[in-house]
Amino acid sequence: MQKYRDKGLKLTPQRLAIFEYLDGNRSHPSAEDIYTEIIKKFPMMSFATVYNTIETLKKKGDLAEITIDPERRHYDPDTSHHHHLICKTCKKIKDIHSDFSIHIPEDQKGTFEVLDNHIEFYGMCHKCKTKGE
Amino acid sequence: MQKYRDKGLKLTPQRLAIFEYLDGNRSHPSAEDIYTEIIKKFPMMSFATVYNTIETLKKKGDLAEITIDPERRHYDPDTSHHHHLICKTCKKIKDIHSDFSIHIPEDQKGTFEVLDNHIEFYGMCHKCKTKGE
DNA sequence: GTTACTGCAAAGCTTTTGCATCCCT
DNA sequence: AGGGATGCAAAAGCTTTGCAGTAAC
């Protein structure tokens, strides 16, 4: 937490609770997910604080916004390069930390310079698969 | 267009204009992009008609919703399996019609059954690359 | 004491919905 | 003629913003 203070950020109780909730969190929460969790400890907390903190963390590079749900934004405290495996039924997301070397054929690449990639895998988690049978 | 009529869809002038705009369109437009274009021909047209038509085409499987922009939804009349190469600067999107066979290692897959994937490549288009230098 | 953060409320955007009217078939 | 589509307006849902009060430093 010291690293945040060093950057001139104030460590308010609400923020600390959000930091703690996000630390190691692999659930790819939305702003509302964060709000719903933190409000248990701080019933007076406002949505603006959640969004403010998200913005602060994003700017610091400690939180990634992931574009996998058209309904709302989700966030990922794991900012390392990885991919996502999404259950088509329950939308649960599993991180995939493999490195795939994917090269676009020259004739497809056009004049683009390719720098990075993110793969969304779609599938069925075990729970949904067994329920559907 | 006959195929739409056969399904019980009415071919109104507004719809025909939208169909025509989307046919072969590789620009991945948003609802507003569609609206802005069609309004030129039909100044009375409402946004509801755009969204209605999008919904109709989606249900028929003739339009795909693509989740690449957290700001708004974009649509793609190319419903075949393909990937996207996105310019980080100007957000222009190029379709990539290559087939990559990507297999997640067993220890990463967990109990998921993997069915499909979509790759977002990020890079710089030629125009933005030369401007930035 | 400063300065940044919080909470509240209002506003901004995108998308959805209800409904009377219209028009394609 | 009948039923689906249109246009309008209102509403809903997510996110942003302005601002006065508050708390961390």
Side-chain angles (χ1 to χ4, degrees):
Chain A
M1 293 304 128
Q2 189 59 40
K3 63 172 176 173
Y4 292 116
R5 184 175 294 151
D6 291 348
K7 302 255 178 158
L9 301 187
K10 288 180 180 171
L11 300 183
T12 67
Q14 296 90 330
R15 275 191 172 172
L16 286 170
I18 295 176
F19 292 166
E20 193 185 335
Y21 171 68
L22 289 177
D23 187 46
N25 188 311
R26 304 262 53 83
S27 72
H28 312 84
S30 64
E32 185 169 10
D33 293 333
I34 299 171
Y35 177 75
T36 304
E37 183 61 30
I38 309 300
I39 201 92
K40 293 178 190 167
K41 277 191 191 169
F42 298 94
M44 304 306 293
M45 192 191 58
S46 82
F47 246 109
T49 297
V50 174
Y51 281 109
N52 281 340
T53 304
I54 286 171
E55 197 53 35
T56 301
L57 289 174
K58 272 170 62 182
K59 277 197 189 128
K60 276 193 39 47
D62 288 334
L63 189 65
E65 190 177 305
I66 49 181
T67 308
I68 43 166
D69 177 2
E71 307 274 325
R72 58 187 61 75
R73 299 177 192 199
H74 291 254
Y75 300 93
D76 193 341
D78 182 353
T79 57
S80 70
H81 184 271
H82 65 282
H83 308 285
H84 293 111
L85 170 52
I86 305 164
C87 176
K88 283 186 171 185
T89 304
C90 71
K91 310 298 178 195
K92 190 168 65 188
I93 303 168
K94 189 178 186 319
D95 290 329
I96 302 295
H97 274 94
S98 299
D99 237 331
F100 306 98
S101 61
I102 311 163
H103 294 286
I104 306 175
E106 279 301 324
D107 62 318
Q108 289 273 317
K109 213 185 319 191
T111 55
F112 270 73
E113 178 188 12
V114 182
L115 300 169
D116 202 3
N117 66 65
H118 170 247
I119 312 173
E120 289 145 33
F121 295 95
Y122 294 97
M124 287 273 261
C125 72
H126 187 255
K127 194 181 281 181
C128 290
K129 196 164 57 182
T130 47
K131 265 185 192 165
E133 281 166 358
Chain B
M1 294 303 129
Q2 188 60 40
K3 64 172 176 174
Y4 293 117
R5 183 176 293 152
D6 292 348
K7 302 253 177 158
L9 302 188
K10 288 181 178 170
L11 300 183
T12 67
Q14 296 90 329
R15 275 190 172 173
L16 287 170
I18 295 176
F19 293 165
E20 193 186 335
Y21 171 67
L22 289 177
D23 188 47
N25 188 311
R26 304 260 56 82
S27 72
H28 313 83
S30 65
E32 185 168 12
D33 293 333
I34 299 171
Y35 177 76
T36 303
E37 183 61 30
I38 309 301
I39 201 91
K40 294 178 189 167
K41 277 192 190 169
F42 299 95
M44 306 305 294
M45 192 191 59
S46 82
F47 244 111
T49 297
V50 174
Y51 280 109
N52 281 339
T53 305
I54 286 172
E55 197 52 37
T56 301
L57 289 174
K58 272 170 60 182
K59 278 196 188 130
K60 277 192 40 46
D62 288 334
L63 190 65
E65 189 176 304
I66 50 180
T67 309
I68 43 166
D69 177 3
E71 305 274 324
R72 58 188 58 78
R73 299 176 192 201
H74 291 254
Y75 300 94
D76 193 341
D78 181 354
T79 58
S80 70
H81 185 272
H82 64 281
H83 308 284
H84 293 109
L85 171 51
I86 306 164
C87 176
K88 283 186 171 185
T89 304
C90 71
K91 309 299 178 194
K92 192 168 65 188
I93 304 169
K94 189 179 187 316
D95 291 329
I96 303 295
H97 273 93
S98 299
D99 238 333
F100 307 97
S101 61
I102 312 163
H103 295 287
I104 306 175
E106 280 302 325
D107 63 319
Q108 289 274 317
K109 211 184 321 191
T111 55
F112 270 73
E113 177 187 13
V114 183
L115 300 168
D116 202 2
N117 66 65
H118 171 246
I119 312 174
E120 288 146 33
F121 295 95
Y122 294 97
M124 287 272 261
C125 73
H126 187 255
K127 194 181 285 180
C128 290
K129 196 165 53 182
T130 47
K131 264 186 192 163
E133 281 166 359

